[in-house]
Amino acid sequence: MENKNVSFPGTKSDAQAAQAAPPRRPSVLDQAGGTKGVVYSALPVLAFVVTHNFRGIKASIIAALAVAVAIGIERLVRKESVQPAIGGVFGVALAAGIVWFTGSAKDYFLIGIWASLAGAVLFLASVLVRWPLAGVIWNVATGKGNVWRADKRSRLYYDIATLVLAAVFGARFAVQQYFYATDQVGSLGFAKIAMGFPLLALALLVVAWAARRSNKRLAAIGLLPAKGA
């Protein structure tokens, strides 16, 4: 007796169902290059701090640059995206150049410290002028434009998310500036790693929460099409 695959009207094969399913949006971790990408971003800092404890400034600069370049080569060999690696090498080279110029190991973290302050001020200012950056960036990236600004409750959701981002950047600045002022290079390295992706990931979860609440609200009042309509 022959076995035949019988198709009935209104049914889909697994392949068709998979095709019909919407593509999964990359998570925050995916966009950072996965767990490996997060680890890679921490390695040059770790190499700098550890080497500085044993061999001094020149050796620590070389170690950080060597690790950053090795990561770039490894990504190239594996045919992975090298854009994060190129950015990493550039950032490490810039920080290393400042250390070379000033002769102070703690200056390796100077750019990140002041970038954190700038981020905190920018996010806070955007709330004060009623253009919360979490809402602006998210809705531009998802192609929804500025329709969310017509709804007071949506603005409140994005205000909360933006204030959380401001708090994250402000906390980074406060902690790392303290360690910088007290010449604690090892603690600076630890704070940079611990307050980097983990804290940002938590803040971005709040942004995603605000976006979901806003989209649901906008669909309910007719400013966005209802899901599945």
Side-chain angles (χ1 to χ4, degrees):
M1 184 176 178
E2 271 185 46
N3 288 330
K4 293 183 180 179
N5 291 330
V6 181
S7 297
F8 295 97
T11 63
K12 290 182 179 180
S13 68
D14 290 344
Q16 287 173 320
Q19 264 189 334
R24 185 179 71 88
R25 180 178 292 173
S27 67
V28 176
L29 186 60
D30 292 335
Q31 292 173 12
T35 305
K36 187 167 71 170
V38 174
V39 172
Y40 279 174
S41 68
L43 288 179
V45 177
L46 195 58
F48 180 87
V49 172
V50 171
T51 308
H52 176 261
N53 288 337
F54 294 99
R55 301 297 299 271
I57 287 178
K58 288 183 180 179
S60 62
I61 290 173
I62 293 169
L65 283 170
V67 169
V69 170
I71 289 170
I73 293 172
E74 193 263 354
R75 282 188 177 276
L76 194 61
V77 169
R78 288 178 175 271
K79 297 182 179 178
E80 297 175 352
S81 171
V82 294
Q83 190 172 356
I86 291 170
V89 171
F90 178 77
V92 170
L94 190 57
I98 293 172
V99 172
W100 186 271
F101 179 76
T102 64
S104 175
K106 67 180 183 179
D107 287 340
Y108 182 86
F109 304 94
L110 199 57
I111 295 174
I113 291 171
W114 289 104
S116 294
L117 177 61
V121 170
L122 191 60
F123 280 113
L124 182 59
S126 74
V127 172
L128 295 177
V129 299
R130 310 305 300 143
W131 279 84
L133 273 177
V136 173
I137 294 169
W138 183 278
N139 285 279
V140 167
T142 56
K144 292 185 175 69
N146 293 324
V147 66
W148 59 276
R149 295 200 72 250
D151 177 52
K152 187 176 180 181
R153 199 179 300 178
S154 289
R155 291 200 306 271
L156 175 61
Y157 296 145
Y158 285 119
D159 278 345
I160 293 169
T162 304
L163 287 172
V164 169
L165 284 164
V168 165
F169 281 93
R172 283 181 183 174
F173 171 75
V175 172
Q176 293 180 40
Q177 176 61 25
Y178 170 77
F179 289 140
Y180 180 87
T182 53
D183 296 317
Q184 299 183 54
V185 176
S187 297
L188 267 171
F190 175 79
K192 184 175 179 64
I193 294 169
M195 301 182 80
F197 181 80
L199 270 188
L200 183 59
L202 288 175
L204 291 179
L205 285 176
V206 179
V207 176
W209 164 84
R212 283 196 301 270
R213 294 297 298 268
S214 172
N215 289 345
K216 187 176 179 182
R217 164 75 179 169
L218 294 175
I221 62 177
L223 290 177
L224 279 181
K227 214 170 186 179

